[in-house]
Amino acid sequence: MHFRNLLILSFSILSRASPIETSVEVGEYGDLSKRGVQQCAIVCAALEVLYPSKTLYQTDAAYATDQIAWPQQNIQLQPKCRFKPKSAKEVSVAVIAARKANCFFAVKSGGHMPIKGASNIQDGLTIDLKDLDSLSLTNGNKIVQIGAGALWGEVYAYLNPKGLGVTGGRLSNIGAGGFILGGGISFTSNKYGWACDNVKSYEIVLGSGDIVTASASSNPDLFRALRGGGNNFGIVTRFDMETHPEGNMWGGMIQNLPTSKDKLYEALYWFNKNAPKDNKAGVIIASVGVPSLGGIIFANDYEYLDPTPNPPIFDNFTAETQIGNTMRVGTYGDFAAELNAPVFSGLRQNFFTLVFKNDARLPTDIWDFWAQKSQPFLDGSDPGFLATLAMQPITESMLALMAKNGGNSLGLGSRKGPFIIINLGYTWSSPTSDNVFNALGAEVINFGKKLAQQRGLWDEFLYHNYADISQNPFDSYGAANKAQLVKTQRKFDPSGVFSKLVVGGHKLR
Ligand SMILES: Cc1cc2nc3c(=O)[nH]c(=O)nc-3n(C[C@H](O)[C@H](O)[C@H](O)COP(=O)(O)OP(=O)(O)OC[C@H]3O[C@@H](n4cnc5c(N)ncnc54)[C@H](O)[C@@H]3O)c2cc1C
Ligand SMILES: *[C@@H]1O[C@H](CO)[C@@H](O)[C@H](O)[C@H]1NC(C)=O
């Protein structure tokens, strides 16, 4: 550590006078062996001087408690230090320091993205937004201001007693940040749209360190880019989202045997067709295979926005023979906690995605291939093994709502739906099996993609929040949207902080 560099850096952060330094250069990261180590040591030391209690090293007790994430791949990365800002101003200081020192950094909200390096970084700086989690209501309770590190469970606990809801995550431990920036499919999306379509305004720290607002009236190009743009434009510190009235709902999980497969997928097809007639309903048709069961079952999730037991929209699903049923009246938060419970957090994880036009037969054929390929791993040799194949409708109502607030960057709203989206995931225990399960996920998805193409059902859309690192979501938004995103990135991050220094997760360039 060069003491002189530290002093210069601390001084230049503190005395930063000019409002925008658009011409500042970020060094190239050609020499990966030097990546972050020396540069980030300086940044960490500077942050420690300024914010001693918010800068954590491996030797600090709190460091270990904060090294949590859904995928083990991100728990194992050891940053030079973790920084936990409490305000946008503190985020800005960290971004300026990282930029000036050419230090690689990662941004974490809930830590659920199952991509190595998405929310943590070896030898770099990890900016952990967990303490940037304040919640407040404005505009006569029409808008909830959500700190970017808040977890959805906290948001529901805050809103529900006030009779309010928001289009948030379906698991209580998912973070606001990653979920909204990728799109965000909620229980209530049939009625209100994806999460990004319900954001009225973003507060964001740019690569320059400036804290700006992106909304329909302020930086509208950035506003559109953030609706699907992930971590490519800056660090969002606050999301201002539309609320809606919400009380108790009807929902829960129903389990079925694989013998119900054809009927369940047929029901999904009809649900997708009928959804516009009753937009209060949401479904996830999910198959899971775990060694403790010795096989595969369906564990499907059904939610309905009114506390009405057994709404007819679910009749085709509920007609099937059940082996488990938790359907009941409860709050969104209750259902999000229920879905959280069986999640295999802390093991090795991957996610893959595929989208195709609504069809009753294709899901069955993909399921057969997936089950045959996954079956050998259910022998108990890895007790941490879990195979998941979840299918969800992307209804015409969701697509229509993508035009809300001026439109998003996903390119989906203009396509003819409805669609079915697959979220395929494997969970396993040991890094030595990484290649096996990454190859398996790709094999199943490629099988499904080919079949969909042969039948004229395939759609190129790759959902940011479900895509593997080998699947680039931005290339799937359509050429015009991608070009617009690149243009907006050049405008708001001319020195390339969020393309060159923030290297984890899905990158636009
Ligand atoms: C078990 C499970 C269930 C899921 N269920 C759903 C679901 O129902 N619907 C759905 O749509 N998705 C779902 N997802 C996907 C989930 O939305 C994504 O994994 C999402 O990225 C998680 O957000 P996070 O903040 O928890 O993750 P993180 O890993 O912390 O962040 C994800 C990415 O976003 C970036 N990021 C986070 N916050 C910010 C910020 N404030 N500014 C800039 N960049 C930021 C990070 O750098 C990272 O690249 C699920 C995922 C899991 C593991
Ligand atoms: C149930 O399935 C039948 C076809 O078997 C279909 O006509 C009907 O619309 C479906 N009902 C719902 C609510 O999806």
Side-chain angles (χ1 to χ4, degrees):
M1 155 74 47
H2 300 288
F3 188 62
R4 199 178 148 268
N5 287 350
L6 167 60
L7 280 183
I8 290 170
L9 181 64
S10 304
F11 180 76
S12 70
I13 295 166
L14 289 171
S15 64
R16 185 173 157 267
S18 68
I20 302 188
E21 297 171 71
T22 42
S23 62
V24 80
E25 279 305 312
V26 172
E28 291 299 322
Y29 57 96
D31 186 356
L32 287 178
S33 65
K34 290 215 183 91
R35 180 172 158 162
V37 179
Q38 185 58 21
Q39 299 95 312
C40 293
I42 294 169
V43 171
C44 288
L47 291 172
E48 194 189 5
V49 169
L50 297 168
Y51 311 107
S53 65
K54 296 168 187 168
T55 309
L56 302 176
Y57 291 92
Q58 277 184 52
T59 45
D60 294 320
Y63 174 97
T65 350
D66 287 342
Q67 279 277 106
I68 48 166
W70 191 62
Q72 189 188 90
Q73 290 97 320
N74 285 336
I75 299 173
Q76 288 178 341
L77 298 173
Q78 303 293 338
K80 193 79 203 163
C81 71
R82 304 183 64 91
F83 178 56
K84 294 200 284 181
K86 265 194 174 1
S87 67
K89 176 76 200 157
E90 291 171 5
V91 171
S92 164
V93 167
V95 169
I96 294 166
R99 192 194 70 220
K100 287 192 180 279
N102 198 21
C103 156
F104 290 79
F105 65 105
V107 183
K108 180 190 173 188
S109 175
H112 264 62
M113 185 174 262
I115 292 178
K116 185 179 175 183
S119 64
N120 211 352
I121 184 164
Q122 185 65 37
D123 297 323
L125 164 71
T126 296
I127 301 180
D128 185 341
L129 304 174
K130 70 182 287 192
D131 291 338
L132 202 74
D133 60 349
S134 69
L135 301 166
S136 53
L137 283 158
T138 61
N139 283 43
N141 289 359
K142 286 199 176 68
I143 299 289
V144 58
Q145 303 182 314
I146 303 174
L151 303 181
W152 287 109
E154 300 164 358
V155 178
Y156 306 138
Y158 174 74
L159 291 177
N160 189 264
K162 302 173 176 73
L164 297 170
V166 70
T167 52
R170 291 177 294 199
L171 266 69
S172 35
N173 281 350
I174 290 181
F179 178 85
I180 303 173
L181 285 168
I185 311 176
S186 176
F187 292 142
T188 57
S189 286
N190 237 349
K191 179 151 186 190
Y192 300 107
W194 286 19
C196 66
D197 299 318
N198 288 281
V199 180
K200 280 292 199 192
S201 171
Y202 300 78
E203 178 190 73
I204 178 171
V205 175
L206 301 177
S208 61
D210 290 304
I211 303 166
V212 304
T213 299
S215 67
S217 55
S218 169
N219 299 310
D221 44 358
L222 183 59
F223 179 56
R224 186 183 171 96
L226 288 174
R227 300 166 69 185
N231 68 7
N232 290 282
F233 298 87
I235 300 182
V236 173
T237 45
R238 202 184 78 205
F239 299 90
D240 290 5
M241 287 185 83
E242 288 173 25
T243 61
H244 54 251
E246 190 181 287
N248 280 340
M249 320 170 31
W250 172 252
M253 200 179 277
I254 297 180
Q255 297 176 333
N256 312 85
L257 290 172
T259 42
S260 294
K261 173 191 42 153
D262 293 358
K263 289 281 184 210
L264 289 173
Y265 286 136
E266 220 179 289
L268 177 62
Y269 170 81
W270 284 107
F271 177 90
N272 219 348
K273 274 192 164 298
N274 290 323
K277 289 182 216 149
D278 187 349
N279 62 13
K280 289 180 182 153
V283 304
I284 306 175
I285 303 303
S287 298
V288 292
V290 275
S292 58
L293 290 171
I296 293 167
I297 60 161
F298 279 89
N300 303 328
D301 204 63
Y302 304 95
E303 316 294 335
Y304 196 74
L305 261 172
D306 282 343
T308 319
N310 302 309
I313 185 86
F314 296 143
D315 280 356
N316 285 333
F317 298 107
T318 51
E320 282 304 293
T321 307
Q322 304 174 4
I323 55 169
N325 183 324
T326 70
M327 298 299 289
R328 65 201 184 278
V329 171
T331 64
Y332 195 122
D334 296 336
F335 301 125
E338 178 184 12
L339 275 184
N340 222 48
V343 162
F344 284 26
S345 179
L347 287 156
R348 301 187 82 76
Q349 316 273 0
N350 64 20
F351 264 8
F352 288 83
T353 189
L354 178 70
V355 169
F356 48 84
K357 291 200 174 74
N358 194 31
D359 189 68
R361 183 68 216 177
L362 185 59
T364 295
D365 295 333
I366 295 174
W367 191 98
D368 288 343
F369 186 79
W370 165 79
Q372 175 216 324
K373 288 283 165 182
S374 305
Q375 191 66 44
F377 301 99
L378 295 172
D379 63 0
S381 53
D382 181 354
F385 176 76
L386 168 73
T388 320
L389 178 66
M391 301 209 197
Q392 298 170 58
I394 300 182
T395 63
E396 282 167 306
S397 327
M398 290 182 196
L399 296 172
L401 288 161
M402 288 188 177
K404 224 171 153 176
N405 295 321
N408 62 37
S409 293
L410 304 174
L412 253 190
S414 55
R415 297 183 202 175
K416 177 85 193 84
F419 299 104
I420 291 172
I421 182 168
I422 285 187
N423 176 14
L424 166 84
Y426 285 108
T427 295
W428 64 99
S429 302
S430 164
T432 55
S433 302
D434 285 2
N435 291 342
V436 174
F437 293 111
N438 289 333
L440 194 62
E443 188 185 355
V444 176
I445 284 299
N446 285 331
F447 172 87
K449 179 177 168 182
K450 271 215 192 87
L451 220 52
Q453 284 173 329
Q454 282 164 13
R455 298 178 190 178
L457 297 168
W458 181 67
D459 188 274
E460 67 176 331
F461 184 69
L462 295 168
Y463 179 34
H464 182 279
N465 290 0
Y466 292 166
D468 179 61
I469 193 66
S470 63
Q471 306 183 293
N472 187 329
F474 305 110
D475 289 338
S476 81
Y477 292 178
N481 280 310
K482 169 111 191 249
Q484 185 58 36
L485 285 171
V486 170
K487 191 176 157 203
T488 306
Q489 191 190 48
R490 289 213 170 98
K491 177 174 167 190
F492 288 93
D493 187 19
S495 53
V497 172
F498 289 90
S499 47
K500 293 177 186 166
L501 293 182
V502 177
V503 289
H506 292 297
K507 301 317 291 185
L508 180 58
R509 293 191 279 156

